[in-house]
Amino acid sequence: HQIRSITITRGAHRLATITGPPALAPARGLIRDAHGRPVGRYVLAVAQDGAIARITQSLVGGRVELRDARGTVLAAAGTPRAAAARPLTFPARAYPSGALTVVLRLPAVSPTTCGATPPATVADTIGQVGERLARTEARGATVRRVLRHVATDRRFERAVANADPVALRAAIIRFFRTRSLHVVRVRAMTTDGRLVGDVGGPYVLCPASRTIRDAAGRALGRVTLSVQDDTGYIKLMRRFTGAAVVLRTATGTVPGSTLMPGPPAIPARGEVAVGDRQFNTYTFTTGAFPDGPLTVALLV
């Protein structure tokens, strides 16, 4: 279900082609029968240009551009004012073929990122990636778009106005089934602070909130939602940085953390031993759902 575009061929014959949005990083290979004999070939892409630009920008900051061989910008993420920063570039491949250049225009790095040792500098750099990703999940363009969609949905509004938990649940389930939203939990309160409903996964982070208003602009209540669960955040940090991630609230270590239960005390910056392994650490605080602090510890 993650394939964006694919072409299947047998010899010189093209058997099937499904072309989605512009994509990069084509993967090629043989299709074999039950006896291992080659019967065809495939070329596919799972990385959409716009999505790769957005996730890269959420990790590194600044502005990210994908350019073709003529220098035309095919996809971009980040504010245009960041375009003045000195660029870093690396090559990529378009789907199904052709050269791309990825251009990173990175923000200035604080001198405090340079630690006392090289491992400390690596941990501090990864820590900034972790903080930037959390900010994106809480205040980025995606969560703002989802908030606007949910808060202005008429069936959702009516459910809150009538304090109807059954209708509210039905509206939220509909949001979950809308793949373009990628919302993982939704909670609604009336204007006087009564809970109408709270539907979604038990462990989510970086909540965002907005007032719900009727067509006349009168406040009906407040919605709080999240577009990322704890497991998703941990997977992203592991995939892109290799860091172990330990999430903790006032009640203890969140299930799914890389190290369970993890060391009893993790310094904000420093070193900690886990068994026979030594880690450099970086910790920061973001929001738990629906409120309160969530401590994120990155161990490198």
Side-chain angles (χ1 to χ4, degrees):
H1 69 283
Q2 292 184 344
I3 294 174
R4 299 293 177 255
S5 297
I6 186 169
T7 296
I8 306 293
T9 55
R10 177 175 172 83
H13 300 288
R14 181 178 294 184
L15 302 179
T17 297
I18 300 174
T19 303
L24 71 162
R28 304 173 186 274
L30 285 171
I31 302 170
R32 299 179 183 273
D33 66 13
H35 304 287
R37 295 185 295 254
V39 294
R41 303 189 71 88
Y42 67 84
V43 55
L44 62 84
V46 300
Q48 184 179 332
D49 285 4
I52 290 296
R54 288 190 295 273
I55 188 62
T56 304
Q57 195 277 334
S58 71
L59 294 167
V60 304
R63 181 173 172 82
V64 178
E65 298 172 351
L66 273 62
R67 295 177 176 266
D68 64 14
R70 297 185 299 273
T72 303
V73 177
L74 305 178
T79 57
R81 64 175 178 268
R86 182 179 178 181
L88 300 172
T89 66
F90 62 89
R93 301 294 297 176
Y95 173 89
S97 62
L100 291 179
T101 299
V102 180
V103 182
L104 306 179
R105 301 182 185 274
L106 302 180
V109 178
S110 168
T112 59
T113 304
C114 296
T117 64
T121 301
V122 171
D124 288 352
T125 302
I126 290 176
Q128 291 189 10
V129 171
E131 289 200 74
R132 192 177 291 116
L133 181 59
R135 286 195 301 270
T136 298
E137 303 288 17
R139 302 191 294 274
T142 296
V143 73
R144 293 197 303 270
R145 174 180 61 83
V146 174
L147 260 179
R148 182 170 59 253
H149 180 101
V150 170
T152 58
D153 181 88
R154 295 307 178 200
R155 281 176 282 185
F156 186 78
E157 286 179 12
R158 287 195 297 271
V160 176
N162 297 326
D164 184 343
V166 176
L168 186 82
R169 180 178 179 83
I172 294 173
I173 295 299
R174 183 163 43 85
F175 298 146
F176 291 162
R177 291 173 176 167
T178 305
R179 290 186 60 185
S180 62
L181 293 181
H182 195 268
V183 60
V184 296
R185 186 168 172 179
V186 183
R187 176 185 177 97
M189 310 281 290
T190 62
T191 52
D192 59 1
R194 288 179 293 133
L195 176 66
V196 181
D198 186 339
V199 184
Y203 301 109
V204 303
L205 74 169
C206 301
S209 298
R210 173 172 167 157
T211 299
I212 307 165
R213 300 183 183 276
D214 63 14
R218 293 184 295 265
L220 302 174
R222 193 162 184 80
V223 57
T224 299
L225 59 79
S226 178
V227 298
Q228 184 62 278
D229 59 22
D230 294 358
T231 299
Y233 178 86
I234 292 169
K235 285 182 177 179
L236 287 174
M237 287 303 298
R238 291 288 286 171
R239 180 186 307 163
F240 290 120
T241 72
V245 185
V246 178
L247 304 178
R248 284 176 173 160
T249 65
T251 60
T253 302
V254 175
S257 294
T258 309
L259 304 173
M260 286 292 292
I266 302 175
R269 307 287 187 277
E271 296 182 1
V272 67
V274 180
D276 59 354
R277 303 175 67 191
Q278 194 75 14
F279 293 88
N280 283 83
T281 64
Y282 185 104
T283 68
F284 65 94
T285 301
T286 186
F289 194 98
D291 51 36
L294 174 70
T295 300
V296 180
L298 304 175
L299 287 77
V300 182

